[in-house]
């Protein structure tokens, strides 16, 4: 697995998860449980979105295009 991105922003994480799910790209979010140990609202440890090496380039292009397009 390869790191696509990391964030401490729950809204951004939700957006990326929705984006990858809509495009049927398999992913995992690492460090979710560790991050939640500090309580809600405190995101001291970034969560990492990981994708399979085979899907990385497609996921990266998708994420870059979505960021470039901006909010709908």
């Amino acid at each position: 697995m390869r790191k696509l991105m990391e964030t401490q922003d729950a809204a951004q994480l939700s957006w990326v998860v929705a984006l990858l799910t809509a495009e049927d790209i398999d992913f995992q979010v690492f460090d979710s449980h560790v991050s939640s140990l500090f309580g809600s609202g405190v995101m001291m440890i970034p969560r990492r979105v990981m994708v399979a090496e085979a899907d990385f380039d497609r996921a990266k292009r998708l994420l870059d295009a979505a960021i470039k397009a901006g909010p709908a």
Side-chain angles (χ1 to χ4, degrees), residues 5-67:
M5 54 96 56
E6 64 181 40
T7 185
Q8 293 176 312
D9 183 332
Q12 184 182 43
L13 178 64
S14 177
W15 176 72
V16 170
V17 164
L19 202 62
L20 295 174
T21 300
E23 291 296 319
D24 201 28
I25 296 174
D26 288 330
F27 65 91
Q28 291 183 7
V29 178
F30 287 10
D31 303 321
S32 290
H33 298 309
V34 175
S35 183
S36 66
L37 287 175
F38 295 100
S40 63
V42 180
M43 300 275 293
M44 295 178 70
I45 298 174
R47 296 173 186 176
R48 297 175 288 154
V49 177
M50 309 293 286
V51 297
E53 188 68 40
D55 291 330
F56 180 80
D57 290 336
R58 184 166 66 108
K60 182 71 173 148
R61 283 192 307 271
L62 175 67
L63 184 58
D64 291 345
I67 290 170

